[in-house]
Amino acid sequence: IDVRGLVNTSVQYNNIREIRNVGVRVALANGRTISVQNNTISNQTVNYGFSQGIALVDVPNAWVTVTSNTILQTSSVPNQLGTGIYLACVTPATVFGTIANHTTLARVRTGIHLINIQGKYAFTILSNSIAFTKPNNFYTTEHSGIRLEGCATIRVDNNT
């Protein structure tokens, strides 16, 4: 699912499978309402992974709600493990909202990755479950449960 431009977006109750790049992408939605809820995004193909389960890109001043999604990466190829949820702006920008309520992320390199998000009233990452599995004993690539780069006023609570 790929939505681009100045539109309010709601993506709910989808079962997205066998993706090769991004499951749900919303881009260039300045000041819009974005809701991604109750979706299952999975890649059952053993030898190919996705880059991002949910990607929200260049969405300054948007109201974002990402809740109750399940993102499952099944690839066993180390360099193909992607990011569960990616939220980024090109330059530091205020984004309002939350990534919360038991969003489950399994077998990804980075669970939740935020770049240049300025949570004016504390953007919240709350009560998510992130699980990692090493494809083999020699696997040493760095993994991150929650990665924040260039961010301010982000509240991160009760994630496992």
Side-chain angles (χ1 to χ4, degrees), residues 111-143:
I112 299 169
H113 190 178
L114 273 59
I115 299 175
N116 289 331
I117 304 302
Q118 310 297 306
K120 188 171 184 177
Y121 299 106
F123 189 92
T124 304
I125 301 172
L126 175 68
S127 298
N128 298 288
S129 174
I130 302 167
F132 300 112
T133 303
K134 286 175 97 173
N136 59 55
N137 291 333
F138 304 105
Y139 190 67
T140 59
T141 303
E142 179 181 316
H143 282 61

Side-chain angles (χ1 to χ4, degrees), residues 10 68 70 122 125 151:
S10 178
S68 302
T70 298
I125 301 172
C151 296

Side-chain angles (χ1 to χ4, degrees), residues 14-83:
N14 294 286
N15 187 1
I16 302 166
R17 301 169 130 201
E18 304 307 325
I19 59 173
R20 290 193 173 251
N21 192 15
V22 179
V24 175
R25 177 187 359 236
V26 179
L28 308 172
N30 185 349
R32 300 303 185 225
T33 300
I34 302 165
S35 173
V36 182
Q37 299 180 72
N38 300 299
N39 299 287
T40 298
I41 300 167
S42 64
N43 190 342
Q44 302 299 324
T45 304
V46 175
N47 293 321
Y48 199 88
F50 55 76
S51 60
Q52 292 138 353
I54 298 170
L56 308 176
V57 182
D58 206 13
V59 293
N61 301 306
W63 287 89
V64 171
T65 304
V66 178
T67 60
S68 302
N69 296 286
T70 298
I71 300 171
L72 174 61
Q73 172 77 275
T74 60
S75 173
S76 61
V77 179
N79 64 349
Q80 293 181 352
L81 299 179
T83 299

Side-chain angles (χ1 to χ4, degrees), residues 145-160:
I146 298 171
R147 184 175 178 181
L148 307 175
E149 294 181 59
C151 296
T153 321
I154 306 295
R155 180 179 165 205
V156 179
D157 285 331
N158 202 33
N159 297 281
T160 57

